[in-house]
Amino acid sequence: MHEFQNKWLNLRESVDRNSRNKRILYLINKFYKNKKNITIIDLGSGAGSNFRFLKSRLSKNQYWSFVDISHQSTNFFKKNIKSSSKIKKTNFKIVDVINNLNKIHFNDYNLVTGSAFLDILPKKWFKNFHKLNIDTEIVYFALNYNGNFKFFPKHKDDKKILNIFNKDQKSDKGIGEVAVGPNCTEIINKVFKKTHKTYVLDSTWDVNKNYEFQIYFLNFCKDIIKKNELNLEHWLEFRLKSIKDKNSRFILNNKDFLAIKK
């Protein structure tokens, strides 16, 4: 992975870890309390942050499959994976989880999981995914952007920035179709309620002293402003000064989604 991407993923992993909803872990472990082993597939596994979070927090022996479209991310993950006594087996597969879901045998897994990518998917993906997971025991997607973020101190153009950010979230993210963006948790909850007991729980980022992380996120906003050819340099300058003065706080709303087979 290139330096910027690697740095951003490292920065956000600690923020993600502190933000995930802990009740979901309790519910998963409670469901599997009488089971010795669980088989898990991690969709869009990337560099392995979802695995690193879950492996020590799931109480049972684990057999993992990792699926991603990127050879680069998968190779990085393979080289840096750290196992434990509870990890009985791992395997890696290169699959386009957006367009080739049918290549995955979901019936082979107890737990289907993924992290921080539902918002880039097209709407039709969710119904297709549900059809393939009607009998899956547990589906867990963490850290789904929910359409709102705030910087402090406030600025008069904060709402304008949020609107263009959310509009960009619903654009085509390189897959040939518009993404659902901040509606992702609402959509997946709606389709799975028919067959599973579902939970939508808070996993908000609340970033106070991690100023490097805030600068990286500000750069994403800067790119969107540039793409839309908007004159909002004053907002960027204000935000950057607040961060450099260590007078900045950043909150972004995420939701964790859990579905347990009825």
Side-chain angles (χ1 to χ4, degrees):
M1 294 182 295
H2 60 73
E3 185 177 350
F4 176 85
Q5 182 186 15
N6 198 19
K7 183 65 175 178
W8 164 246
L9 291 175
N10 287 337
L11 281 170
R12 73 161 290 173
E13 186 165 345
S14 63
V15 175
D16 286 346
R17 184 172 58 246
N18 293 329
S19 303
R20 287 183 186 237
N21 195 286
K22 306 307 185 291
R23 176 164 167 73
I24 284 183
L25 296 170
Y26 165 78
L27 292 168
I28 293 173
N29 283 318
K30 180 181 178 183
F31 183 86
Y32 289 124
K33 65 180 179 179
N34 295 321
K35 205 173 187 74
K36 183 178 180 181
N37 306 307
I38 55 175
T39 55
I40 306 161
I41 185 166
D42 185 18
L43 303 180
S45 53
S49 62
N50 198 32
F51 168 71
R52 285 189 290 274
F53 178 83
L54 287 173
K55 67 174 183 176
S56 62
R57 293 170 173 85
L58 296 176
S59 59
K60 303 300 178 180
N61 294 330
Q62 302 156 38
Y63 294 76
W64 283 84
S65 291
F66 306 105
V67 178
D68 201 276
I69 194 174
S70 170
H71 288 272
Q72 189 178 23
S73 294
T74 299
N75 288 336
F76 179 86
F77 186 6
K78 280 183 179 180
K79 290 177 182 177
N80 293 279
I81 192 170
K82 293 181 180 179
S83 192
S84 71
S85 60
K86 288 191 293 185
I87 310 304
K88 300 304 178 183
K89 186 178 180 181
T90 61
N91 70 82
F92 294 82
K93 302 175 182 180
I94 301 297
V95 179
D96 180 351
V97 298
I98 299 175
N99 296 306
N100 294 316
L101 275 177
N102 290 330
K103 290 187 175 181
I104 301 171
H105 301 291
F106 288 104
N107 290 336
D108 294 341
Y109 303 98
N110 306 119
L111 170 60
V112 177
T113 185
S115 174
F117 75 94
L118 289 185
D119 57 319
I120 70 167
L121 299 174
K123 190 172 183 179
K124 69 179 184 182
W125 184 91
F126 294 84
K127 286 186 177 180
N128 293 337
F129 177 72
H130 177 251
K131 285 178 184 178
L132 295 169
N133 285 277
I134 288 174
D135 295 318
T136 299
E137 291 175 346
I138 290 184
V139 174
Y140 167 42
F141 285 103
L143 302 157
N144 307 301
Y145 175 58
N146 203 41
N148 190 44
F149 64 80
K150 298 176 182 178
F151 277 100
F152 297 94
K154 294 181 180 180
H155 186 279
K156 65 181 180 66
D157 286 326
D158 287 343
K159 188 68 175 178
K160 186 182 293 185
I161 298 295
L162 179 63
N163 288 339
I164 64 168
F165 186 92
N166 285 342
K167 183 180 179 180
D168 185 79
Q169 289 296 105
K170 292 185 176 183
S171 64
D172 180 0
K173 297 299 182 182
I175 59 177
E177 297 180 63
V178 296
V180 297
N183 297 328
C184 60
T185 311
E186 177 185 347
I187 292 169
I188 197 167
N189 186 54
K190 184 177 180 180
V191 296
F192 269 91
K193 279 199 303 186
K194 303 168 187 175
T195 54
H196 291 66
K197 181 173 177 56
T198 61
Y199 302 82
V200 176
L201 300 172
D202 185 70
S203 56
T204 292
W205 289 346
D206 190 346
V207 185
N208 192 0
K209 294 183 179 181
N210 191 335
Y211 300 111
E212 188 176 11
F213 178 91
Q214 293 186 44
I215 287 175
Y216 265 74
F217 188 85
L218 192 63
N219 284 332
F220 290 125
C221 295
K222 183 178 180 179
D223 289 342
I224 293 171
I225 290 170
K226 184 178 180 180
K227 184 167 70 173
N228 286 272
E229 299 181 344
L230 297 171
N231 182 17
L232 289 166
E233 289 299 318
H234 53 288
W235 182 86
L236 291 167
E237 290 171 1
F238 176 83
R239 287 284 159 240
L240 188 57
K241 185 178 185 305
S242 296
I243 293 170
K244 288 183 175 180
D245 290 344
K246 297 185 177 181
N247 184 37
S248 178
R249 181 183 179 190
F250 173 62
I251 296 174
L252 182 143
N253 294 124
N254 294 309
K255 295 293 182 181
D256 285 355
F257 171 78
L258 179 70
I260 299 178
K261 182 65 179 175
K262 292 178 180 178

